[in-house]
Amino acid sequence: MISYEISREDLRYVQRRLKRIETEAPKAFKNAINHTAKEARKKLAAGAQGAYTVKNGGFNSRMRIQNATNTKLYAVIRSKDKPLTITRFHATAPKSGGKADIVKSGLKELIGPKQIKAFKRGGLIMQRKSADRYPVKVLRSVSVPKMLEKVYEGERGIEGALGPEIQRTLHDEIRKEVRKLI
């Protein structure tokens, strides 16, 4: 018969190691949350650019991450912006009238009330408010926060909502951080 016995020294060693893990838990959660926030921002941007024809320039800079800390175990992805001008999307404005493709469904003619067509001036696509020469308005579309909201809810871009996928990413990141501690 073979028997093994745990010595008191081994027991104390294990207890000391487990106490260290207990004190390192907030740091592990913080790291997992921050990694998840970065991945979520990438997935949101990819989903929005998969659904909308918006140009890449400055898309990630419109999403700011407030990272988690050891005492605040949550991260926030903020996006503030006004509606983007039509020129940020796939748009044309020949003499016969402007056309734009916002949600990758093909170019659609930009015709306002009273059948007034759009035109391009100074790098912007504009439209007169009436038959008079002035006033004119710059045509705009959705903002980056609204695009991200639609992608997150699963209405545009990827199949299904991103919420469950981001939750799975968080669980995977927590498991990675726990493996580092043990």
Side-chain angles (χ1 to χ4, degrees):
M1 176 181 187
I2 300 173
S3 66
Y4 293 99
E5 195 172 300
I6 298 174
S7 68
R8 290 190 185 271
E9 287 178 26
D10 289 339
L11 186 60
R12 286 189 198 113
Y13 171 76
V14 169
Q15 287 175 336
R16 279 195 312 268
R17 296 286 290 182
L18 290 177
K19 282 185 182 177
R20 184 189 71 82
I21 289 173
E22 190 176 290
T23 60
E24 295 290 320
K27 182 180 174 186
F29 279 122
K30 174 194 75 161
N31 292 340
I33 290 168
N34 290 338
H35 287 287
T36 302
K38 288 176 188 165
E39 282 298 312
R41 181 173 65 179
K42 286 179 191 175
K43 289 176 184 178
L44 285 167
Q49 290 178 339
Y52 296 91
T53 62
V54 68
K55 296 174 185 171
N56 287 354
F59 198 83
N60 274 342
S61 66
R62 296 177 194 276
M63 290 186 287
R64 300 265 185 229
I65 297 176
Q66 180 184 346
N67 284 323
T69 63
N70 288 337
T71 56
K72 297 179 196 169
L73 294 176
Y74 60 88
V76 179
I77 300 174
R78 295 182 197 267
S79 181
K80 292 183 182 177
D81 202 11
K82 58 186 178 188
L84 301 173
T85 60
I86 294 283
T87 54
R88 302 278 298 166
F89 297 87
H90 179 229
T92 61
K95 292 183 181 184
S96 62
K99 294 181 180 181
D101 183 17
I102 307 296
V103 291
K104 291 194 177 181
S105 60
L107 288 171
K108 294 188 176 58
E109 203 166 359
L110 300 171
I111 298 177
K114 301 179 187 174
Q115 300 299 313
I116 299 173
K117 294 186 177 185
F119 60 95
K120 191 170 188 176
R121 289 284 185 276
L124 296 171
I125 297 179
M126 300 182 200
Q127 194 172 48
R128 289 183 169 77
K129 292 186 176 184
S130 66
D132 297 332
R133 183 174 170 96
Y134 290 106
V136 295
K137 65 177 179 179
V138 175
L139 295 180
R140 298 185 178 276
S141 181
V142 296
S143 63
V144 172
K146 189 51 110 174
M147 283 187 240
L148 297 176
E149 178 185 329
K150 295 290 184 186
V151 168
Y152 182 79
E153 292 170 354
E155 292 181 28
R156 297 258 191 260
I158 58 172
E159 298 254 342
L162 276 179
E165 189 174 337
I166 292 171
Q167 192 67 35
R168 273 193 303 277
T169 304
L170 177 60
H171 289 303
D172 293 343
E173 289 294 331
I174 289 172
R175 287 187 188 104
K176 285 179 192 176
E177 290 295 325
V178 167
R179 276 188 232 120
K180 286 180 187 177
L181 290 176
I182 295 178

